[in-house]
Amino acid sequence: MSLLTHVLACLFGMGSWVSINGLWVELPLIVPQIPEGWYLPSYLSVLIQMANVGPLFVTLMHRFRPGALNETAVIYVIIGLGTVASFLLGFFWKETVVVAGVPRSVALLVLTFFLSTVDCTSSVTFLPFMMRLKPQYLTTYYIGEGVSGLLPALVALIQGVGVLHCINNTETLNHTLISSNSSVTFDLQAQYQPANFSAEVFFFFLSAMMLVCLVAFLLLNYHPSVARELPKGRYTNGVIEKSQKNRKWAEQNSMLDPIRPANLRSSFGTGTYSWMQVFYIFAILAWANALTNVVLPSVQSYSCMPYGNNAYHLSATMAAVSNPLACFIAMFFPIRSLLLMGALTVIGSGAGAYIMGMAVLSPCPLLVNETSGDVIIVLSWILFVLALSYVKVIIGVILRDEGHSALVWCGAVVQLGSLLGAVTMFPVVSVYSYFSSGSGPSLSLHKDEKCARVKGGNTPGAASPRNRANKAEGGIPFD
């Protein structure tokens, strides 16, 4: 294998969601300067789901007009569009236009829609393109996709986004006109510290990352050393013929498949899997993406903030690292067992159920006053992301062997799972405010005092790689 090809595949995958992930981590710096304020995340969630018109169009064209859509040309267009849109955001994100008598950030919303269309469409174009390379490079692509969330977060950390401190405003209230007695109330106000560099510079950085993705794509198409890495199999109706080794592996490991009706094969891909198995694989794929991209990220702050600032930031950071780590593990241990896939899905979902339970119990979850509670919630986030990210990579590897068409449907199901998760969580979190956090600024409060407060107010869920692309938020975390 070529190290250059691995690097290019990683950089190519990084461009898949770097723009939208970068926009989400920059929100604390953007929202104080625009008229929408903290309603912006909810607007962005709707725009991102509307952008699924891109993958829907590509999938329908592939289904009803196979071969009519030039996949390479589409990738050039969407990467170019993402580069230009990110660059223009640096100039126009603060510009407003009066609509129906109210100032609106029209440029920001329109450019965000274009970025969302780029990133959503990458799910059904980037993955099928990776069919042209050897299977090992698909895992490297997934590593790059994970880095697309980690890298903007690290840059935002250097920028100092969301760093705040409390200001103690003291008020003196006279009780009567004739008495000198008075009472003093202490009012803590959270104030964001100035960033080390502006949002404009950050957007130019995102544009540069998209440009790097474009260069990587060009080299993947035309560099001689990459051409030597192309698989030797030939394409037939969009499906690459599996090598004898892969066929033999599938036959010898049939006992690893939990559902295999006798003598029943599907016409999907190479026909290796039955229709029941195909449904099983895609159901797990949709479920895993719904949980990791939307459902749990939308309640991350509710599940972590009661345990303190350290637990919150550590869980967000380690979740971001766990995604590319799972892809790295899958590169060396690509176990294509459907039984293992189901077991890991159960384990990841179990960790997710604990996280959701703590979010429901917020602001007084289990072990809130214990160090063990902090440790368990952080470990739950790591296990949740690690297990389900590995499952998603293995499904990609399996479907890669089933051919080009299988990877197109893989991308479509990824977006479908995210869409269903967003439709489910948006009203629960943003409309009905089902989840509760401690009311008011609680930076100076001990954990015991937090649970003595009356539940109220909303705290937005902070997200990890790609997760911000689909979540709904309602306020600023004060903890």
Side-chain angles (χ1 to χ4, degrees):
M1 291 184 292
S2 168
L3 177 60
L4 174 63
T5 308
H6 274 296
V7 172
L8 293 177
C10 183
L11 294 176
F12 178 57
M14 185 183 63
S16 59
W17 283 90
V18 70
S19 298
I20 290 299
N21 285 332
L23 184 61
W24 281 106
V25 299
E26 197 71 1
L27 284 181
L29 202 60
I30 295 175
V31 293
Q33 305 182 56
I34 59 173
E36 288 79 7
W38 275 104
Y39 286 105
L40 178 64
S42 297
Y43 297 157
L44 297 187
S45 298
V46 175
L47 285 174
I48 291 165
Q49 299 314 317
M50 290 172 58
N52 279 306
V53 65
L56 177 63
F57 171 76
V58 173
T59 305
L60 291 178
M61 285 292 292
H62 176 76
R63 175 64 180 85
F64 297 106
R65 296 288 301 277
L69 200 63
N70 189 326
E71 189 175 85
T72 303
V74 172
I75 294 177
Y76 278 124
V77 169
I78 62 175
I79 296 178
L81 180 61
T83 304
V84 173
S86 300
F87 186 75
L88 292 178
L89 270 177
F91 294 101
F92 300 109
W93 70 272
K94 286 193 294 187
E95 300 298 324
T96 59
V97 176
V98 177
V99 179
V102 180
R104 296 293 182 187
S105 304
V106 175
L108 175 62
L109 296 176
V110 170
L111 290 173
T112 299
F113 175 76
F114 286 138
L115 289 179
S116 304
T117 304
V118 167
D119 290 359
C120 290
T121 309
S122 70
S123 297
V124 293
T125 52
F126 285 20
L127 273 176
F129 171 80
M130 294 303 297
M131 272 293 303
R132 304 184 182 188
L133 304 176
K134 292 180 179 179
Q136 295 87 341
Y137 297 113
L138 180 62
T139 307
T140 309
Y141 167 85
Y142 275 111
I143 293 176
E145 194 173 81
V147 172
S148 71
L150 179 61
L151 184 60
L154 293 177
V155 174
L157 185 64
I158 297 172
Q159 185 184 14
V161 171
V163 177
L164 53 81
H165 63 278
C166 285
I167 297 178
N168 187 9
N169 292 335
T170 303
E171 296 179 0
T172 302
L173 302 177
N174 292 323
H175 288 289
T176 62
L177 296 176
I178 59 176
S179 173
S180 62
N181 295 330
S182 61
S183 63
V184 179
T185 62
F186 297 93
D187 179 29
L188 290 178
Q189 288 187 347
Q191 185 177 73
Y192 283 98
Q193 297 179 356
N196 295 323
F197 53 87
S198 65
E200 287 83 357
V201 174
F202 187 84
F203 287 130
F204 293 148
F205 160 76
L206 294 182
S207 181
M209 289 299 97
M210 291 300 298
L211 190 59
V212 168
C213 175
L214 179 60
V215 172
F217 182 61
L218 282 167
L219 293 177
L220 285 173
N221 277 291
Y222 299 109
H223 198 281
S225 67
V226 177
R228 291 193 294 268
E229 293 294 319
L230 296 179
K232 299 185 183 302
R234 63 184 179 87
Y235 286 86
T236 305
N237 295 326
V239 177
I240 189 170
E241 292 185 351
K242 298 179 71 176
S243 65
Q244 187 64 27
K245 179 180 177 180
N246 284 343
R247 289 185 182 277
K248 186 177 181 180
W249 187 96
E251 294 172 0
Q252 291 178 344
N253 293 275
S254 60
M255 71 288 297
L256 296 177
D257 299 334
I259 42 178
R260 180 179 288 272
N263 300 323
L264 179 59
R265 291 291 176 269
S266 71
S267 58
F268 181 83
T270 61
T272 303
Y273 297 98
S274 67
W275 279 118
M276 187 177 294
Q277 289 173 316
V278 171
F279 176 79
Y280 169 80
I281 291 171
F282 279 129
I284 287 182
L285 182 63
W287 173 257
N289 279 278
L291 291 184
T292 57
N293 295 350
V294 186
V295 176
L296 270 300
S298 65
V299 298
Q300 184 170 23
S301 62
Y302 295 108
S303 67
C304 299
M305 291 297 274
Y307 295 99
N309 234 11
N310 290 336
Y312 174 74
H313 288 292
L314 190 58
S315 64
T317 303
M318 294 307 297
V321 173
S322 297
N323 191 339
L325 177 61
C327 301
F328 188 76
I329 294 173
M331 178 183 294
F332 296 98
F333 303 100
I335 304 174
R336 310 180 192 192
S337 165
L338 300 189
L339 183 60
L340 177 63
M341 184 194 306
L344 288 176
T345 302
V346 171
I347 292 172
S349 300
Y354 177 82
I355 293 169
M356 181 62 72
M358 297 308 99
V360 171
L361 294 175
S362 176
C364 301
L366 301 177
L367 303 174
V368 68
N369 299 317
E370 305 292 337
T371 302
S372 58
D374 302 16
V375 174
I376 292 174
I377 195 66
V378 172
L379 291 179
S380 297
W381 272 100
I382 294 174
L383 181 61
F384 164 71
V385 176
L386 201 62
L388 294 186
S389 294
Y390 183 88
V391 167
K392 292 192 289 185
V393 175
I394 293 304
I395 291 178
V397 171
I398 289 175
L399 295 179
R400 192 267 176 205
D401 286 342
E402 294 304 302
H404 180 277
S405 177
L407 284 181
V408 173
W409 284 107
C410 175
V413 172
V414 166
Q415 291 305 118
L416 176 63
S418 300
L419 174 61
L420 293 177
V423 170
T424 302
M425 293 305 296
F426 181 82
V428 174
V429 175
S430 293
V431 178
Y432 297 107
S433 302
Y434 181 78
F435 297 93
S436 301
S437 61
S439 59
S442 57
L443 279 161
S444 62
L445 297 177
H446 187 270
K447 291 178 183 177
D448 291 332
E449 297 178 57
K450 293 178 188 178
C451 290
R453 285 185 174 276
V454 178
K455 290 186 178 182
N458 292 326
T459 307
S464 55
R466 195 166 180 180
N467 299 335
R468 298 179 183 85
N470 301 291
K471 68 180 180 178
E473 303 189 64
I476 303 176
F478 282 98
D479 211 347

